[in-house]
Amino acid sequence: MLDYDLEAAHYDETRGGVARAGAAADAVLELLPADCAVLVDVACGTGIVSELLTAPGRTVIGVDPAAAMLALAQPRLGGGGHVVRGDATQLPLATGSVDAVTFMWLLHLVDEALVASAIAEAARALRPGGMMITTVDKNAAQYETDSDVGEILRPARRELAPPASDDVERVRELAATVGLKPAGLAGYVGHGQGRPPREWARRVREDITWTRGADPARVAEICRALEALPGQEVRRADPVYKVAGFRLGGK
Ligand SMILES: C[S@@+](CC[C@H](N)C(=O)[O-])C[C@H]1O[C@@H](n2cnc3c(N)ncnc32)[C@H](O)[C@@H]1O
């Protein structure tokens, strides 16, 4: 995982800024009951999404282990909440004390054991009827775009990548073991996250974890296909990310 204390200064500008955060918050708000009074945004980062989840009569608590990210989140939450340094697997919260727990762009970053612990911890902190809302299938979204790049990368990733820690089916299974039942799915556009073919070819060659152990001839073939596309510098469609809601004790 990246060192988010080092990422903090550039995080917002390199992750789609307020356009991405606004779309993400709208997806959460689509699933969140309007009367939610206490929401814990776990892995709040710079608070760019958390800030947009505040509302009159609602306290938003941002939790994150990276002090530099929290330093940016604190002023954003202002009167609508506060931040606490902490970990998704050990929330500094009483059992059954909150109405909602959100994980925005966390579960894809951590291993499967941590995903299971984080979901169990969310269920512990939630009151009966409370909601857990999380991004799922995050990395898949970049490859599932409706574009010529997507047509090359979608099957390549399915062929070469290991199962994702935030795979929606797996998250559903883990949630069920702690009494969290599916309660809706929403999507949001990752503004500014679509990339041009030339950049994708570079990433496939140098950056992407699922091509690192692959047959070099297969990787070269994927890169050649990307580099043969027209509009090498033209950004393709932004990905659409998924957000899943779960209710504690729901039907
Ligand atoms: C990709 S950022 C997402 C930030 C924010 N939710 C957003 O959507 O902009 C991932 C965040 O997860 C935090 N993080 C990493 N491991 C964590 C853990 N075990 N528990 C809670 N947060 C964690 C990082 O410090 C970082 O701020």
Side-chain angles (χ1 to χ4, degrees), residues 1 4-5 11-12 15 20 24 41-49 63-66 69 86-89 103-106 108-110 114 188:
M1 190 190 301
Y4 280 96
D5 279 315
Y11 180 85
D12 290 348
R15 308 305 199 280
R20 188 278 303 182
D41 189 25
V42 179
C44 66
T46 63
I48 193 165
V49 177
V63 176
D64 201 286
M69 298 291 265
D87 191 279
T89 60
F103 298 119
M104 299 304 285
W105 279 6
L106 174 67
H108 70 289
L109 292 175
V110 296
L114 200 144
Y188 72 94

Side-chain angles (χ1 to χ4, degrees), residues 147-247:
S147 72
D148 50 2
V149 166
E151 275 166 33
I152 294 168
L153 290 178
R154 190 168 42 244
R157 183 175 183 275
R158 286 185 186 158
E159 170 196 335
L160 299 173
S165 56
D166 69 339
D167 174 83
V168 66
E169 290 307 327
R170 189 168 174 277
V171 169
R172 278 192 191 127
E173 281 167 22
L174 289 169
T177 65
V178 290
L180 286 160
K181 309 284 166 49
L185 202 57
Y188 72 94
V189 174
H191 292 287
Q193 308 259 307
R195 302 182 205 289
R198 194 183 305 286
E199 188 183 335
W200 272 119
R202 184 194 61 72
R203 285 175 169 247
V204 167
R205 230 176 245 120
E206 298 169 15
D207 266 6
I208 290 177
T209 49
W210 53 264
T211 55
R212 271 183 213 149
D215 175 2
R218 178 72 181 109
V219 174
E221 184 186 27
I222 297 165
C223 292
R224 272 198 306 278
L226 289 166
E227 284 164 349
L229 294 175
Q232 280 293 301
E233 305 299 343
V234 179
R235 282 178 174 274
R236 300 311 200 250
D238 287 329
V240 177
Y241 295 110
K242 282 191 255 174
V243 178
F246 298 86
R247 190 181 300 282

